[in-house]
C-alpha cells in the first residue's frame, strides 16, 4: 500500500444476519490507495 493511502478502521455491526435468532458479526473496511477504491467485508455467523 502506498504511504498516502486512505484506510478506514473496521466498522463492526451485530445483527441477526440469517434470521436464526442468534446475533452474528458483520464487519468491513475501506481503502483508496488506487482507482477504483476497494475494501473488504467479513461475516461471522454464530452457530
Amino acid at each position: 500500500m502506498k504511504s498516502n493511502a486512505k484506510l478506514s478502521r473496521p466498522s463492526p455491526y451485530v445483527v441477526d444476519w440469517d434470521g436464526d435468532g442468534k446475533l452474528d458479526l458483520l464487519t468491513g473496511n475501506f481503502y483508496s490507495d488506487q482507482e477504483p477504491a476497494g475494501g473488504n467485508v467479513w461475516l461471522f455467523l454464530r452457530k
Side-chain angles (χ1 to χ4, degrees), residues 9-46:
R9 295 179 184 244
S11 300
Y13 293 93
V14 177
V15 61
D16 182 5
W17 183 261
D18 54 2
D20 65 357
K22 298 177 184 175
L23 294 177
D24 308 304
L25 178 62
L26 179 67
T27 189
N29 65 10
F30 171 80
Y31 57 88
S32 62
D33 64 333
Q34 58 187 349
E35 290 296 326
N40 300 292
V41 175
W42 295 275
L43 175 61
F44 299 92
L45 298 174
R46 187 170 171 194

